[in-house]
Amino acid sequence: MGWRWPLILSVLAVVAGLYLSGTFSEPPTPPPLGDGWWGRGDREKAPKADESIRQFSVSINNDTINDLKARLRNTRHFEGLEGTKFHYGVRPEYMQTVVKYWLNKYDFKAQEKYFNKYNHYRTNIEGLDIHFVHVKPTLKPGQKSKPLLMSHGWPGSFYEFYKILPLLTDPVNNGGTAEDIFEVICPSIPGFGYSEASHKTGMGALAVARIFGKLMSRLGHNRYYVQGGDWGSAITTFMGLLLPEHVKGLHVNMVGNSNPPMAQMIIGSYFPSLFLPAEDHHKVWPAIPMFFDMLLESGYFHIQATKPDTIGHSLTDSPVGLAAYILEKFSTATNKTWRDLEDGGLNDGWQIDDLLNNIMVYWMNGNMASAMRFYKENVGLFVDDINKCQIKVPSGVADFPCELPNLPEKWTRYRYINLLQYNTMARGGHFAALEEPQLLAEDIRIFVRKVETLPK
């Protein structure tokens, strides 16, 4: 009798896991594409929108610089606790070094010039001025580039892509081949960067996917690739779901809007080999410590998914508060073990100008509150049946080891049913395009090559 009960429990565990994961039910039908209006007032009464594509330059004017420096000088610092590193968040002593650099060494005009290294544009879609960076490569006669939309998340911005752009648009001089050349479009999510914020409630990832699809159409692209991490992963995944006739291939570096099979997670804590190969066990088990680790790192999520405007007041008014809030994520989301370091790993792991440039995007536009609202508008997606809709366009995943969470390939295939590529990367975390541009660029190139060889 000794072997029978474990066998019976194992069979029941498998059946329960398959049932609860929806294996025995038909996947839901994707929702209609729809339309929207997010501008001020009623659509019928609004003046006709200017749908032209308008170029502009990023400006860090002297008034902005003087105001920021005055606020930095007047910061009220506080004392940290003895013996803590980044366990309570960003150490006050570390923030004092950031303020000192920001005031005395950060070259505002040099960074303004760097922001304008690539062309910036706006165009009005569904009542909002949508900002995007657009980099067209230099082509030889007869050569064609592949259009690629790249979408950022929070608390990132279009700036995340500045180091990967030359690798994709000038591949011959950056480790690729002439066939790897892309025309890259990096839009700012509405309410982020230089994109106008929605004036209505309900602006979620589905609506942004539709808006970005309209942007690509306005730029003259009927078939294109999409790539994203964080919220950008959700947005581009929805583009693949809603616009499969236009999305030629989907590549993500975070699988964040595909709910893991909870029954398998729980039962797998006792019988892991029933569900996943041994090399993937560490990505999800032991489940309880991982759950508490997620709880430790997700306090911001609860605030932003419930009352984002409350904290939005302080982050819009205080540059040090804004910087600390963002820097904490660039520490633990890059590598959670950096909590144990005096500087949160930020000094060695990042260039301070890159960190401050991303922060400046939020500060100059005063839109941290509207960016945080994106969580409240999307929180329902995590329990919505749309997450059970199958993504049928060719898909690829770059799984960076320090990403949180890491969804194993087997579970990723439950939703991305045409998964051509799933690569576990050598290193890197949440902000992959900025942290490990070479690794991400090469993974995108390999994926696109595979798609290009598929039967037409």
Side-chain angles (χ1 to χ4, degrees):
M1 293 290 290
W3 58 270
R4 292 182 179 178
W5 278 111
L7 177 62
I8 292 171
L9 288 173
S10 298
V11 172
L12 289 174
V14 171
V15 172
L18 292 172
Y19 176 78
L20 292 173
S21 67
T23 301
F24 302 126
S25 60
E26 288 292 324
T29 302
L33 183 61
D35 198 6
W37 171 259
W38 311 99
R40 289 185 174 87
D42 296 330
R43 187 173 198 168
E44 295 75 17
K45 298 178 181 179
K48 183 175 176 57
D50 179 5
E51 296 184 352
S52 64
I53 296 171
R54 310 178 303 278
Q55 187 172 355
F56 75 99
S57 296
V58 172
S59 173
I60 310 179
N61 60 49
N62 290 334
D63 287 343
T64 298
I65 296 171
N66 292 336
D67 174 72
L68 172 59
K69 286 190 171 184
R71 292 169 187 264
L72 292 174
R73 292 190 189 98
N74 292 326
T75 300
R76 294 198 300 173
H77 293 287
F78 58 96
E79 184 180 351
L81 291 171
E82 295 179 1
T84 60
K85 306 296 192 291
F86 265 46
H87 303 122
Y88 281 69
V90 179
R91 278 182 60 78
E93 291 77 10
Y94 172 77
M95 279 309 302
Q96 290 177 34
T97 68
V98 172
V99 171
K100 185 177 180 180
Y101 181 90
W102 208 352
L103 266 171
N104 302 316
K105 295 184 178 181
Y106 181 80
D107 191 330
F108 289 89
K109 290 304 179 180
Q111 298 307 322
E112 177 187 69
K113 183 178 180 180
Y114 185 57
F115 273 118
N116 290 307
K117 177 179 181 180
Y118 303 113
N119 291 332
H120 294 255
Y121 302 87
R122 289 193 188 98
T123 189
N124 195 278
I125 302 174
E126 297 191 9
L128 300 178
D129 277 344
I130 303 300
H131 159 253
F132 60 100
V133 174
H134 192 178
V135 184
K136 294 182 178 181
T138 301
L139 300 174
K140 296 179 181 179
Q143 188 180 21
K144 291 184 178 180
S145 60
K146 303 172 186 68
L148 169 67
L149 180 143
M150 303 188 76
S151 181
H152 66 86
W154 184 94
S157 65
F158 65 87
Y159 183 77
E160 288 182 69
F161 302 117
Y162 264 48
K163 294 187 184 301
I164 200 172
L165 281 170
L167 309 184
L168 297 172
T169 59
D170 185 16
V172 174
N173 292 315
N174 291 282
T177 69
E179 288 70 36
D180 296 324
I181 197 163
F182 293 92
E183 173 187 340
V184 185
I185 299 94
C186 302
S188 293
I189 299 170
F192 290 71
Y194 291 89
S195 281
E196 184 179 358
S198 173
H199 302 281
K200 308 284 192 296
T201 61
M203 165 62 76
L206 277 170
V208 178
R210 183 181 63 239
I211 288 171
F212 285 0
K214 290 180 179 180
L215 171 63
M216 294 301 281
S217 177
R218 189 167 296 178
L219 293 173
H221 298 305
N222 184 55
R223 294 278 286 165
Y224 47 84
Y225 291 92
V226 295
Q227 199 285 329
D230 194 78
W231 283 120
S233 169
I235 292 165
T236 53
T237 293
F238 286 143
M239 291 180 75
L241 177 67
L242 300 176
L243 302 163
E245 69 278 15
H246 297 296
V247 174
K248 195 172 184 179
L250 161 67
H251 184 280
V252 298
N253 55 278
M254 176 181 176
V255 186
N257 61 322
S258 294
N259 296 326
M262 296 307 298
Q264 291 189 37
M265 284 195 69
I266 296 170
I267 299 167
S269 295
Y270 304 97
F271 308 100
S273 296
L274 288 174
F275 303 109
L276 293 174
E279 60 267 22
D280 283 342
H281 291 180
H282 71 281
K283 294 182 178 181
V284 290
W285 295 307
I288 292 177
M290 287 200 171
F291 170 78
F292 280 106
D293 205 52
M294 287 288 289
L295 196 64
L296 179 66
E297 296 300 333
S298 60
Y300 77 97
F301 191 105
H302 185 76
I303 293 171
Q304 293 171 199
T306 53
K307 302 292 180 63
D309 282 12
T310 301
I311 193 172
H313 292 285
S314 59
L315 300 183
T316 302
D317 189 62
S318 169
V320 175
L322 175 69
Y325 201 64
I326 293 175
L327 288 173
E328 190 266 321
K329 294 298 166 236
F330 272 80
S331 171
T332 53
T334 303
N335 190 323
K336 64 183 180 182
T337 66
W338 288 1
R339 293 185 297 234
D340 300 326
L341 302 176
E342 293 282 351
D343 64 352
L346 295 171
N347 285 341
D348 292 333
W350 292 102
Q351 294 180 11
I352 191 168
D353 280 346
D354 286 331
L355 296 173
L356 288 175
N357 283 350
N358 181 66
I359 292 166
M360 284 293 293
V361 172
Y362 285 92
W363 179 255
M364 289 186 294
N365 292 286
N367 56 9
M368 178 52 87
S370 60
M372 292 190 299
R373 288 174 190 157
F374 205 61
Y375 283 77
K376 187 173 180 67
E377 304 296 7
N378 282 295
V379 68
L381 288 177
F382 292 90
V383 293
D384 196 286
D385 277 350
I386 196 170
N387 283 323
K388 297 178 182 177
C389 290
Q390 293 178 334
I391 309 302
K392 299 179 181 179
V393 299
S395 304
V397 173
D399 181 48
F400 285 84
C402 293
E403 180 61 273
L404 191 67
N406 297 102
L407 198 68
E409 178 179 355
K410 182 179 178 181
W411 291 356
T412 300
R413 290 185 180 277
Y414 289 162
R415 189 174 191 207
Y416 298 81
I417 63 173
N418 193 4
L419 189 67
L420 300 186
Q421 177 174 301
Y422 181 105
N423 289 329
T424 297
M425 313 308 287
R427 59 189 178 275
H430 187 69
F431 304 98
L434 190 58
E435 181 194 5
E436 296 290 348
Q438 191 69 55
L439 289 181
L440 182 59
E442 185 58 23
D443 204 71
I444 294 169
R445 292 168 182 162
I446 294 170
F447 168 68
V448 171
R449 289 172 199 158
K450 291 178 181 178
V451 177
E452 292 292 315
T453 61
L454 294 174
K456 303 298 182 183

